[in-house]
Amino acid sequence: MELVPGVEIAGVSPALYVRKYRALIIADTHIGYEDELASKGVFIPRFQLRRVIELLDKLLNDFPVSRLVIAGDLKHSFSGMSTVEKRELMKFFSYVLPKVEEVIVVRGNHDNYLPILKKKFGFRFEEYVVLGEYLIVHGHKPVPENVSSSWDYLILGHEHPSITLRDSVGRIGKFPCFLVGEISNLSKVFITLPATGAYQTGSRITLDKETYISPIIRESALIPEIKPVIVDEEIGVFELPPLKDLAEYLY
């Protein structure tokens, strides 16, 4: 399913594929999340890395990919890089680098200390990436001012969007989703990716701008006009009407 010209959802997954540039884009893998919780005495099954690799394994077989772009928060820990997190990141790069020509990590707010691994693995580490008409950022900061205005579409992560809907009898379902909308002050279109991490289940999408964590959406998006596109392994890909038409169903 094409969300904007040239950008499609990669199968039924939280990833985008830009065919013109043979680029696969994911966001918010949060590798190392389980180790961060374990350091605080909370123990959960350790399968975040496995989920990411299984997803990439399928998508790299289904799509001709030359370039993998991670739109921020590849890793989880803010304050450092533990031995376990470092080992898992090394496994990630060892898996993916032989399969594509280029890996680009766009700096997210969790990606502190990631440059420690840059020399060994040779991935690109950028504040933002421009692929022709597409600008890719993480989304925890405003749109960079030093970028040429030649781009038309903004792709970002950070928000971890999910939509919670209730039907007429009160049943509730929560689904990860892409968001497609307009940045009013720039007259540009944006796409927000769902989180790839298994435990990053999503921030609730509402009509209240204060519930959004990305300043790009909170301060500049036409929120009533945002269209969610659900991507779920059970129901597939499902485009919803704009949020303004979903008010009575949002929970």
Side-chain angles (χ1 to χ4, degrees), residues 86-121:
K86 183 177 181 180
R87 183 167 63 241
E88 291 194 340
L89 288 166
M90 291 174 69
K91 286 181 180 178
F92 170 81
F93 285 118
S94 296
Y95 162 78
V96 75
L97 282 167
K99 297 181 179 295
V100 296
E101 295 175 12
E102 185 176 43
V103 173
I104 307 173
V105 180
V106 177
R107 181 191 288 271
N109 52 307
H110 283 259
D111 290 321
N112 303 319
Y113 300 90
L114 193 55
I116 291 171
L117 300 177
K118 185 178 175 182
K119 183 176 181 180
K120 178 178 177 61
F121 290 100

PDB file of all heavy atoms in Angstrom, residues 86-121:
ATOM      1  N   LYS A  86      25.594  -3.700  24.099  1.00  0.00           N
ATOM      2  CA  LYS A  86      26.659  -3.655  23.093  1.00  0.00           C
ATOM      3  C   LYS A  86      26.735  -4.960  22.328  1.00  0.00           C
ATOM      4  O   LYS A  86      26.856  -4.969  21.095  1.00  0.00           O
ATOM      5  CB  LYS A  86      28.000  -3.364  23.763  1.00  0.00           C
ATOM      6  CG  LYS A  86      29.156  -3.235  22.783  1.00  0.00           C
ATOM      7  CD  LYS A  86      30.444  -2.865  23.514  1.00  0.00           C
ATOM      8  CE  LYS A  86      31.598  -2.710  22.545  1.00  0.00           C
ATOM      9  NZ  LYS A  86      32.861  -2.347  23.249  1.00  0.00           N
ATOM     10  N   ARG A  87      26.628  -6.080  23.026  1.00  0.00           N
ATOM     11  CA  ARG A  87      26.690  -7.383  22.364  1.00  0.00           C
ATOM     12  C   ARG A  87      25.517  -7.564  21.389  1.00  0.00           C
ATOM     13  O   ARG A  87      25.695  -8.055  20.270  1.00  0.00           O
ATOM     14  CB  ARG A  87      26.687  -8.502  23.409  1.00  0.00           C
ATOM     15  CG  ARG A  87      26.825  -9.895  22.803  1.00  0.00           C
ATOM     16  CD  ARG A  87      27.141 -10.935  23.861  1.00  0.00           C
ATOM     17  NE  ARG A  87      26.062 -11.057  24.835  1.00  0.00           N
ATOM     18  CZ  ARG A  87      26.202 -10.811  26.131  1.00  0.00           C
ATOM     19  NH1 ARG A  87      27.351 -10.393  26.623  1.00  0.00           N
ATOM     20  NH2 ARG A  87      25.177 -10.949  26.952  1.00  0.00           N
ATOM     21  N   GLU A  88      24.337  -7.114  21.793  1.00  0.00           N
ATOM     22  CA  GLU A  88      23.174  -7.252  20.914  1.00  0.00           C
ATOM     23  C   GLU A  88      23.284  -6.335  19.704  1.00  0.00           C
ATOM     24  O   GLU A  88      22.912  -6.718  18.590  1.00  0.00           O
ATOM     25  CB  GLU A  88      21.901  -6.967  21.700  1.00  0.00           C
ATOM     26  CG  GLU A  88      21.585  -8.047  22.733  1.00  0.00           C
ATOM     27  CD  GLU A  88      20.178  -7.951  23.278  1.00  0.00           C
ATOM     28  OE1 GLU A  88      19.561  -6.866  23.168  1.00  0.00           O
ATOM     29  OE2 GLU A  88      19.684  -8.971  23.807  1.00  0.00           O
ATOM     30  N   LEU A  89      23.795  -5.126  19.896  1.00  0.00           N
ATOM     31  CA  LEU A  89      23.987  -4.230  18.760  1.00  0.00           C
ATOM     32  C   LEU A  89      25.027  -4.776  17.791  1.00  0.00           C
ATOM     33  O   LEU A  89      24.870  -4.660  16.562  1.00  0.00           O
ATOM     34  CB  LEU A  89      24.406  -2.843  19.262  1.00  0.00           C
ATOM     35  CG  LEU A  89      23.313  -2.032  19.955  1.00  0.00           C
ATOM     36  CD1 LEU A  89      23.914  -0.854  20.702  1.00  0.00           C
ATOM     37  CD2 LEU A  89      22.272  -1.544  18.955  1.00  0.00           C
ATOM     38  N   MET A  90      26.062  -5.392  18.313  1.00  0.00           N
ATOM     39  CA  MET A  90      27.075  -6.007  17.453  1.00  0.00           C
ATOM     40  C   MET A  90      26.472  -7.153  16.657  1.00  0.00           C
ATOM     41  O   MET A  90      26.780  -7.336  15.468  1.00  0.00           O
ATOM     42  CB  MET A  90      28.261  -6.474  18.296  1.00  0.00           C
ATOM     43  CG  MET A  90      29.076  -5.325  18.880  1.00  0.00           C
ATOM     44  SD  MET A  90      30.377  -5.849  20.029  1.00  0.00           S
ATOM     45  CE  MET A  90      31.508  -6.657  18.882  1.00  0.00           C
ATOM     46  N   LYS A  91      25.594  -7.919  17.275  1.00  0.00           N
ATOM     47  CA  LYS A  91      24.907  -8.993  16.555  1.00  0.00           C
ATOM     48  C   LYS A  91      24.025  -8.417  15.448  1.00  0.00           C
ATOM     49  O   LYS A  91      23.958  -8.957  14.337  1.00  0.00           O
ATOM     50  CB  LYS A  91      24.054  -9.817  17.522  1.00  0.00           C
ATOM     51  CG  LYS A  91      24.842 -10.738  18.437  1.00  0.00           C
ATOM     52  CD  LYS A  91      23.896 -11.520  19.340  1.00  0.00           C
ATOM     53  CE  LYS A  91      24.670 -12.452  20.262  1.00  0.00           C
ATOM     54  NZ  LYS A  91      23.748 -13.182  21.185  1.00  0.00           N
ATOM     55  N   PHE A  92      23.362  -7.300  15.747  1.00  0.00           N
ATOM     56  CA  PHE A  92      22.509  -6.657  14.750  1.00  0.00           C
ATOM     57  C   PHE A  92      23.323  -6.222  13.538  1.00  0.00           C
ATOM     58  O   PHE A  92      22.981  -6.537  12.388  1.00  0.00           O
ATOM     59  CB  PHE A  92      21.797  -5.457  15.365  1.00  0.00           C
ATOM     60  CG  PHE A  92      21.094  -4.594  14.361  1.00  0.00           C
ATOM     61  CD1 PHE A  92      19.850  -4.942  13.871  1.00  0.00           C
ATOM     62  CD2 PHE A  92      21.683  -3.418  13.885  1.00  0.00           C
ATOM     63  CE1 PHE A  92      19.202  -4.156  12.932  1.00  0.00           C
ATOM     64  CE2 PHE A  92      21.046  -2.633  12.948  1.00  0.00           C
ATOM     65  CZ  PHE A  92      19.799  -2.997  12.473  1.00  0.00           C
ATOM     66  N   PHE A  93      24.412  -5.491  13.772  1.00  0.00           N
ATOM     67  CA  PHE A  93      25.219  -5.011  12.653  1.00  0.00           C
ATOM     68  C   PHE A  93      25.894  -6.167  11.906  1.00  0.00           C
ATOM     69  O   PHE A  93      25.998  -6.140  10.674  1.00  0.00           O
ATOM     70  CB  PHE A  93      26.264  -4.015  13.140  1.00  0.00           C
ATOM     71  CG  PHE A  93      25.706  -2.668  13.482  1.00  0.00           C
ATOM     72  CD1 PHE A  93      25.790  -2.173  14.777  1.00  0.00           C
ATOM     73  CD2 PHE A  93      25.090  -1.887  12.510  1.00  0.00           C
ATOM     74  CE1 PHE A  93      25.273  -0.927  15.097  1.00  0.00           C
ATOM     75  CE2 PHE A  93      24.566  -0.639  12.817  1.00  0.00           C
ATOM     76  CZ  PHE A  93      24.648  -0.155  14.120  1.00  0.00           C
ATOM     77  N   SER A  94      26.330  -7.177  12.622  1.00  0.00           N
ATOM     78  CA  SER A  94      26.963  -8.337  11.973  1.00  0.00           C
ATOM     79  C   SER A  94      25.974  -9.058  11.074  1.00  0.00           C
ATOM     80  O   SER A  94      26.351  -9.610  10.028  1.00  0.00           O
ATOM     81  CB  SER A  94      27.513  -9.301  13.027  1.00  0.00           C
ATOM     82  OG  SER A  94      28.546  -8.691  13.770  1.00  0.00           O
ATOM     83  N   TYR A  95      24.698  -9.045  11.473  1.00  0.00           N
ATOM     84  CA  TYR A  95      23.667  -9.683  10.645  1.00  0.00           C
ATOM     85  C   TYR A  95      23.365  -8.856   9.398  1.00  0.00           C
ATOM     86  O   TYR A  95      23.328  -9.365   8.276  1.00  0.00           O
ATOM     87  CB  TYR A  95      22.384  -9.876  11.459  1.00  0.00           C
ATOM     88  CG  TYR A  95      21.183 -10.124  10.580  1.00  0.00           C
ATOM     89  CD1 TYR A  95      20.951 -11.366  10.006  1.00  0.00           C
ATOM     90  CD2 TYR A  95      20.301  -9.079  10.276  1.00  0.00           C
ATOM     91  CE1 TYR A  95      19.879 -11.573   9.157  1.00  0.00           C
ATOM     92  CE2 TYR A  95      19.227  -9.281   9.431  1.00  0.00           C
ATOM     93  CZ  TYR A  95      19.012 -10.530   8.877  1.00  0.00           C
ATOM     94  OH  TYR A  95      17.953 -10.723   8.033  1.00  0.00           O
ATOM     95  N   VAL A  96      23.124  -7.529   9.579  1.00  0.00           N
ATOM     96  CA  VAL A  96      22.544  -6.754   8.494  1.00  0.00           C
ATOM     97  C   VAL A  96      23.562  -6.216   7.499  1.00  0.00           C
ATOM     98  O   VAL A  96      23.269  -6.091   6.303  1.00  0.00           O
ATOM     99  CB  VAL A  96      21.672  -5.607   9.064  1.00  0.00           C
ATOM    100  CG1 VAL A  96      22.524  -4.477   9.612  1.00  0.00           C
ATOM    101  CG2 VAL A  96      20.698  -5.108   8.019  1.00  0.00           C
ATOM    102  N   LEU A  97      24.777  -5.887   7.935  1.00  0.00           N
ATOM    103  CA  LEU A  97      25.732  -5.236   7.038  1.00  0.00           C
ATOM    104  C   LEU A  97      26.096  -6.069   5.807  1.00  0.00           C
ATOM    105  O   LEU A  97      26.238  -5.505   4.714  1.00  0.00           O
ATOM    106  CB  LEU A  97      26.989  -4.836   7.817  1.00  0.00           C
ATOM    107  CG  LEU A  97      26.835  -3.573   8.662  1.00  0.00           C
ATOM    108  CD1 LEU A  97      27.990  -3.428   9.631  1.00  0.00           C
ATOM    109  CD2 LEU A  97      26.730  -2.329   7.784  1.00  0.00           C
ATOM    110  N   PRO A  98      26.235  -7.396   5.907  1.00  0.00           N
ATOM    111  CA  PRO A  98      26.535  -8.158   4.700  1.00  0.00           C
ATOM    112  C   PRO A  98      25.367  -8.250   3.714  1.00  0.00           C
ATOM    113  O   PRO A  98      25.557  -8.663   2.567  1.00  0.00           O
ATOM    114  CB  PRO A  98      26.876  -9.558   5.245  1.00  0.00           C
ATOM    115  CG  PRO A  98      27.179  -9.363   6.685  1.00  0.00           C
ATOM    116  CD  PRO A  98      26.309  -8.235   7.119  1.00  0.00           C
ATOM    117  N   LYS A  99      24.164  -7.845   4.148  1.00  0.00           N
ATOM    118  CA  LYS A  99      22.984  -8.041   3.323  1.00  0.00           C
ATOM    119  C   LYS A  99      22.579  -6.817   2.518  1.00  0.00           C
ATOM    120  O   LYS A  99      21.737  -6.905   1.625  1.00  0.00           O
ATOM    121  CB  LYS A  99      21.803  -8.484   4.208  1.00  0.00           C
ATOM    122  CG  LYS A  99      22.031  -9.836   4.889  1.00  0.00           C
ATOM    123  CD  LYS A  99      20.841 -10.255   5.718  1.00  0.00           C
ATOM    124  CE  LYS A  99      21.084 -11.610   6.363  1.00  0.00           C
ATOM    125  NZ  LYS A  99      21.197 -12.690   5.361  1.00  0.00           N
ATOM    126  N   VAL A 100      23.145  -5.642   2.844  1.00  0.00           N
ATOM    127  CA  VAL A 100      22.810  -4.414   2.128  1.00  0.00           C
ATOM    128  C   VAL A 100      24.089  -3.655   1.815  1.00  0.00           C
ATOM    129  O   VAL A 100      25.148  -3.934   2.372  1.00  0.00           O
ATOM    130  CB  VAL A 100      21.854  -3.517   2.955  1.00  0.00           C
ATOM    131  CG1 VAL A 100      20.516  -4.206   3.166  1.00  0.00           C
ATOM    132  CG2 VAL A 100      22.471  -3.148   4.299  1.00  0.00           C
ATOM    133  N   GLU A 101      23.979  -2.686   0.928  1.00  0.00           N
ATOM    134  CA  GLU A 101      25.146  -1.897   0.562  1.00  0.00           C
ATOM    135  C   GLU A 101      25.455  -0.810   1.592  1.00  0.00           C
ATOM    136  O   GLU A 101      26.607  -0.396   1.737  1.00  0.00           O
ATOM    137  CB  GLU A 101      24.913  -1.256  -0.810  1.00  0.00           C
ATOM    138  CG  GLU A 101      24.805  -2.274  -1.942  1.00  0.00           C
ATOM    139  CD  GLU A 101      24.461  -1.635  -3.265  1.00  0.00           C
ATOM    140  OE1 GLU A 101      24.530  -0.371  -3.363  1.00  0.00           O
ATOM    141  OE2 GLU A 101      24.095  -2.370  -4.206  1.00  0.00           O
ATOM    142  N   GLU A 102      24.419  -0.355   2.302  1.00  0.00           N
ATOM    143  CA  GLU A 102      24.608   0.762   3.224  1.00  0.00           C
ATOM    144  C   GLU A 102      23.602   0.682   4.360  1.00  0.00           C
ATOM    145  O   GLU A 102      22.422   0.382   4.149  1.00  0.00           O
ATOM    146  CB  GLU A 102      24.433   2.086   2.467  1.00  0.00           C
ATOM    147  CG  GLU A 102      24.713   3.328   3.285  1.00  0.00           C
ATOM    148  CD  GLU A 102      24.624   4.593   2.443  1.00  0.00           C
ATOM    149  OE1 GLU A 102      23.673   4.705   1.627  1.00  0.00           O
ATOM    150  OE2 GLU A 102      25.488   5.472   2.600  1.00  0.00           O
ATOM    151  N   VAL A 103      24.079   0.945   5.570  1.00  0.00           N
ATOM    152  CA  VAL A 103      23.211   1.074   6.740  1.00  0.00           C
ATOM    153  C   VAL A 103      23.378   2.494   7.276  1.00  0.00           C
ATOM    154  O   VAL A 103      24.498   2.949   7.527  1.00  0.00           O
ATOM    155  CB  VAL A 103      23.558   0.047   7.839  1.00  0.00           C
ATOM    156  CG1 VAL A 103      22.756   0.331   9.109  1.00  0.00           C
ATOM    157  CG2 VAL A 103      23.303  -1.373   7.353  1.00  0.00           C
ATOM    158  N   ILE A 104      22.265   3.186   7.430  1.00  0.00           N
ATOM    159  CA  ILE A 104      22.271   4.554   7.952  1.00  0.00           C
ATOM    160  C   ILE A 104      21.437   4.584   9.219  1.00  0.00           C
ATOM    161  O   ILE A 104      20.270   4.169   9.213  1.00  0.00           O
ATOM    162  CB  ILE A 104      21.695   5.564   6.947  1.00  0.00           C
ATOM    163  CG1 ILE A 104      22.383   5.450   5.587  1.00  0.00           C
ATOM    164  CG2 ILE A 104      21.820   6.991   7.490  1.00  0.00           C
ATOM    165  CD1 ILE A 104      21.742   6.297   4.496  1.00  0.00           C
ATOM    166  N   VAL A 105      22.024   5.071  10.293  1.00  0.00           N
ATOM    167  CA  VAL A 105      21.285   5.281  11.536  1.00  0.00           C
ATOM    168  C   VAL A 105      21.099   6.785  11.713  1.00  0.00           C
ATOM    169  O   VAL A 105      22.071   7.532  11.794  1.00  0.00           O
ATOM    170  CB  VAL A 105      22.018   4.691  12.757  1.00  0.00           C
ATOM    171  CG1 VAL A 105      21.202   4.937  14.033  1.00  0.00           C
ATOM    172  CG2 VAL A 105      22.296   3.207  12.569  1.00  0.00           C
ATOM    173  N   VAL A 106      19.849   7.221  11.739  1.00  0.00           N
ATOM    174  CA  VAL A 106      19.541   8.612  12.045  1.00  0.00           C
ATOM    175  C   VAL A 106      19.488   8.743  13.568  1.00  0.00           C
ATOM    176  O   VAL A 106      18.823   7.957  14.239  1.00  0.00           O
ATOM    177  CB  VAL A 106      18.194   9.024  11.417  1.00  0.00           C
ATOM    178  CG1 VAL A 106      17.836  10.456  11.807  1.00  0.00           C
ATOM    179  CG2 VAL A 106      18.261   8.890   9.893  1.00  0.00           C
ATOM    180  N   ARG A 107      20.194   9.698  14.097  1.00  0.00           N
ATOM    181  CA  ARG A 107      20.318   9.817  15.547  1.00  0.00           C
ATOM    182  C   ARG A 107      18.954  10.048  16.213  1.00  0.00           C
ATOM    183  O   ARG A 107      18.240  11.001  15.901  1.00  0.00           O
ATOM    184  CB  ARG A 107      21.246  10.969  15.923  1.00  0.00           C
ATOM    185  CG  ARG A 107      21.435  11.127  17.441  1.00  0.00           C
ATOM    186  CD  ARG A 107      22.130  12.425  17.783  1.00  0.00           C
ATOM    187  NE  ARG A 107      23.538  12.406  17.412  1.00  0.00           N
ATOM    188  CZ  ARG A 107      24.518  11.978  18.223  1.00  0.00           C
ATOM    189  NH1 ARG A 107      24.215  11.525  19.427  1.00  0.00           N
ATOM    190  NH2 ARG A 107      25.773  11.994  17.826  1.00  0.00           N
ATOM    191  N   GLY A 108      18.618   9.163  17.146  1.00  0.00           N
ATOM    192  CA  GLY A 108      17.441   9.366  17.980  1.00  0.00           C
ATOM    193  C   GLY A 108      17.854   9.788  19.372  1.00  0.00           C
ATOM    194  O   GLY A 108      19.044   9.809  19.716  1.00  0.00           O
ATOM    195  N   ASN A 109      16.892  10.101  20.209  1.00  0.00           N
ATOM    196  CA  ASN A 109      17.214  10.558  21.560  1.00  0.00           C
ATOM    197  C   ASN A 109      17.758   9.443  22.445  1.00  0.00           C
ATOM    198  O   ASN A 109      18.358   9.715  23.493  1.00  0.00           O
ATOM    199  CB  ASN A 109      15.991  11.203  22.216  1.00  0.00           C
ATOM    200  CG  ASN A 109      14.753  10.335  22.181  1.00  0.00           C
ATOM    201  OD1 ASN A 109      14.355   9.862  21.117  1.00  0.00           O
ATOM    202  ND2 ASN A 109      14.121  10.125  23.325  1.00  0.00           N
ATOM    203  N   HIS A 110      17.614   8.183  22.036  1.00  0.00           N
ATOM    204  CA  HIS A 110      18.184   7.060  22.788  1.00  0.00           C
ATOM    205  C   HIS A 110      19.542   6.607  22.248  1.00  0.00           C
ATOM    206  O   HIS A 110      20.138   5.696  22.817  1.00  0.00           O
ATOM    207  CB  HIS A 110      17.228   5.853  22.747  1.00  0.00           C
ATOM    208  CG  HIS A 110      16.056   5.967  23.665  1.00  0.00           C
ATOM    209  ND1 HIS A 110      15.985   5.325  24.876  1.00  0.00           N
ATOM    210  CD2 HIS A 110      14.893   6.658  23.540  1.00  0.00           C
ATOM    211  CE1 HIS A 110      14.838   5.592  25.452  1.00  0.00           C
ATOM    212  NE2 HIS A 110      14.153   6.408  24.667  1.00  0.00           N
ATOM    213  N   ASP A 111      20.022   7.206  21.169  1.00  0.00           N
ATOM    214  CA  ASP A 111      21.190   6.666  20.473  1.00  0.00           C
ATOM    215  C   ASP A 111      22.523   7.223  20.970  1.00  0.00           C
ATOM    216  O   ASP A 111      23.523   7.208  20.241  1.00  0.00           O
ATOM    217  CB  ASP A 111      21.049   6.880  18.960  1.00  0.00           C
ATOM    218  CG  ASP A 111      19.958   6.004  18.364  1.00  0.00           C
ATOM    219  OD1 ASP A 111      19.855   4.846  18.794  1.00  0.00           O
ATOM    220  OD2 ASP A 111      19.215   6.487  17.487  1.00  0.00           O
ATOM    221  N   ASN A 112      22.552   7.689  22.206  1.00  0.00           N
ATOM    222  CA  ASN A 112      23.819   8.101  22.811  1.00  0.00           C
ATOM    223  C   ASN A 112      24.773   6.907  22.863  1.00  0.00           C
ATOM    224  O   ASN A 112      24.351   5.773  23.065  1.00  0.00           O
ATOM    225  CB  ASN A 112      23.576   8.618  24.237  1.00  0.00           C
ATOM    226  CG  ASN A 112      22.586   9.763  24.264  1.00  0.00           C
ATOM    227  OD1 ASN A 112      22.628  10.643  23.408  1.00  0.00           O
ATOM    228  ND2 ASN A 112      21.693   9.759  25.226  1.00  0.00           N
ATOM    229  N   TYR A 113      26.039   7.164  22.665  1.00  0.00           N
ATOM    230  CA  TYR A 113      27.108   6.169  22.741  1.00  0.00           C
ATOM    231  C   TYR A 113      27.137   5.221  21.540  1.00  0.00           C
ATOM    232  O   TYR A 113      28.044   4.391  21.447  1.00  0.00           O
ATOM    233  CB  TYR A 113      27.037   5.351  24.046  1.00  0.00           C
ATOM    234  CG  TYR A 113      27.163   6.193  25.279  1.00  0.00           C
ATOM    235  CD1 TYR A 113      26.038   6.738  25.886  1.00  0.00           C
ATOM    236  CD2 TYR A 113      28.407   6.482  25.827  1.00  0.00           C
ATOM    237  CE1 TYR A 113      26.145   7.544  27.023  1.00  0.00           C
ATOM    238  CE2 TYR A 113      28.521   7.280  26.964  1.00  0.00           C
ATOM    239  CZ  TYR A 113      27.394   7.803  27.542  1.00  0.00           C
ATOM    240  OH  TYR A 113      27.508   8.601  28.655  1.00  0.00           O
ATOM    241  N   LEU A 114      26.199   5.324  20.628  1.00  0.00           N
ATOM    242  CA  LEU A 114      26.218   4.442  19.465  1.00  0.00           C
ATOM    243  C   LEU A 114      27.460   4.637  18.595  1.00  0.00           C
ATOM    244  O   LEU A 114      27.965   3.656  18.017  1.00  0.00           O
ATOM    245  CB  LEU A 114      24.948   4.641  18.633  1.00  0.00           C
ATOM    246  CG  LEU A 114      24.651   3.602  17.549  1.00  0.00           C
ATOM    247  CD1 LEU A 114      24.609   2.196  18.120  1.00  0.00           C
ATOM    248  CD2 LEU A 114      23.342   3.939  16.846  1.00  0.00           C
ATOM    249  N   PRO A 115      28.008   5.861  18.480  1.00  0.00           N
ATOM    250  CA  PRO A 115      29.232   6.022  17.675  1.00  0.00           C
ATOM    251  C   PRO A 115      30.406   5.174  18.143  1.00  0.00           C
ATOM    252  O   PRO A 115      31.376   5.004  17.397  1.00  0.00           O
ATOM    253  CB  PRO A 115      29.537   7.519  17.818  1.00  0.00           C
ATOM    254  CG  PRO A 115      28.206   8.153  18.026  1.00  0.00           C
ATOM    255  CD  PRO A 115      27.453   7.177  18.890  1.00  0.00           C
ATOM    256  N   ILE A 116      30.340   4.622  19.354  1.00  0.00           N
ATOM    257  CA  ILE A 116      31.385   3.705  19.815  1.00  0.00           C
ATOM    258  C   ILE A 116      31.579   2.555  18.834  1.00  0.00           C
ATOM    259  O   ILE A 116      32.691   2.057  18.630  1.00  0.00           O
ATOM    260  CB  ILE A 116      31.031   3.154  21.215  1.00  0.00           C
ATOM    261  CG1 ILE A 116      31.124   4.272  22.258  1.00  0.00           C
ATOM    262  CG2 ILE A 116      31.923   1.983  21.608  1.00  0.00           C
ATOM    263  CD1 ILE A 116      30.593   3.881  23.628  1.00  0.00           C
ATOM    264  N   LEU A 117      30.481   2.145  18.187  1.00  0.00           N
ATOM    265  CA  LEU A 117      30.523   0.996  17.275  1.00  0.00           C
ATOM    266  C   LEU A 117      30.738   1.395  15.815  1.00  0.00           C
ATOM    267  O   LEU A 117      30.881   0.529  14.955  1.00  0.00           O
ATOM    268  CB  LEU A 117      29.217   0.192  17.379  1.00  0.00           C
ATOM    269  CG  LEU A 117      28.890  -0.376  18.764  1.00  0.00           C
ATOM    270  CD1 LEU A 117      27.544  -1.076  18.732  1.00  0.00           C
ATOM    271  CD2 LEU A 117      29.979  -1.332  19.225  1.00  0.00           C
ATOM    272  N   LYS A 118      30.770   2.687  15.540  1.00  0.00           N
ATOM    273  CA  LYS A 118      30.826   3.142  14.151  1.00  0.00           C
ATOM    274  C   LYS A 118      32.113   2.733  13.449  1.00  0.00           C
ATOM    275  O   LYS A 118      32.106   2.299  12.290  1.00  0.00           O
ATOM    276  CB  LYS A 118      30.652   4.661  14.122  1.00  0.00           C
ATOM    277  CG  LYS A 118      30.571   5.246  12.733  1.00  0.00           C
ATOM    278  CD  LYS A 118      30.353   6.755  12.807  1.00  0.00           C
ATOM    279  CE  LYS A 118      30.388   7.376  11.425  1.00  0.00           C
ATOM    280  NZ  LYS A 118      30.231   8.848  11.478  1.00  0.00           N
ATOM    281  N   LYS A 119      33.241   2.858  14.135  1.00  0.00           N
ATOM    282  CA  LYS A 119      34.530   2.532  13.512  1.00  0.00           C
ATOM    283  C   LYS A 119      34.614   1.054  13.159  1.00  0.00           C
ATOM    284  O   LYS A 119      35.088   0.682  12.084  1.00  0.00           O
ATOM    285  CB  LYS A 119      35.676   2.916  14.436  1.00  0.00           C
ATOM    286  CG  LYS A 119      37.050   2.690  13.835  1.00  0.00           C
ATOM    287  CD  LYS A 119      38.157   3.189  14.754  1.00  0.00           C
ATOM    288  CE  LYS A 119      39.522   2.975  14.131  1.00  0.00           C
ATOM    289  NZ  LYS A 119      40.623   3.460  15.005  1.00  0.00           N
ATOM    290  N   LYS A 120      34.118   0.200  14.031  1.00  0.00           N
ATOM    291  CA  LYS A 120      34.201  -1.244  13.806  1.00  0.00           C
ATOM    292  C   LYS A 120      33.284  -1.700  12.675  1.00  0.00           C
ATOM    293  O   LYS A 120      33.643  -2.557  11.862  1.00  0.00           O
ATOM    294  CB  LYS A 120      33.845  -1.997  15.089  1.00  0.00           C
ATOM    295  CG  LYS A 120      33.863  -3.520  14.957  1.00  0.00           C
ATOM    296  CD  LYS A 120      33.553  -4.191  16.278  1.00  0.00           C
ATOM    297  CE  LYS A 120      33.487  -5.702  16.156  1.00  0.00           C
ATOM    298  NZ  LYS A 120      34.764  -6.300  15.713  1.00  0.00           N
ATOM    299  N   PHE A 121      32.087  -1.103  12.586  1.00  0.00           N
ATOM    300  CA  PHE A 121      31.082  -1.619  11.656  1.00  0.00           C
ATOM    301  C   PHE A 121      30.843  -0.732  10.435  1.00  0.00           C
ATOM    302  O   PHE A 121      30.234  -1.170   9.456  1.00  0.00           O
ATOM    303  CB  PHE A 121      29.762  -1.856  12.390  1.00  0.00           C
ATOM    304  CG  PHE A 121      29.833  -3.012  13.352  1.00  0.00           C
ATOM    305  CD1 PHE A 121      30.005  -2.796  14.706  1.00  0.00           C
ATOM    306  CD2 PHE A 121      29.773  -4.319  12.900  1.00  0.00           C
ATOM    307  CE1 PHE A 121      30.091  -3.850  15.600  1.00  0.00           C
ATOM    308  CE2 PHE A 121      29.856  -5.385  13.775  1.00  0.00           C
ATOM    309  CZ  PHE A 121      30.009  -5.157  15.128  1.00  0.00           C
TER     310      PHE A 121
END
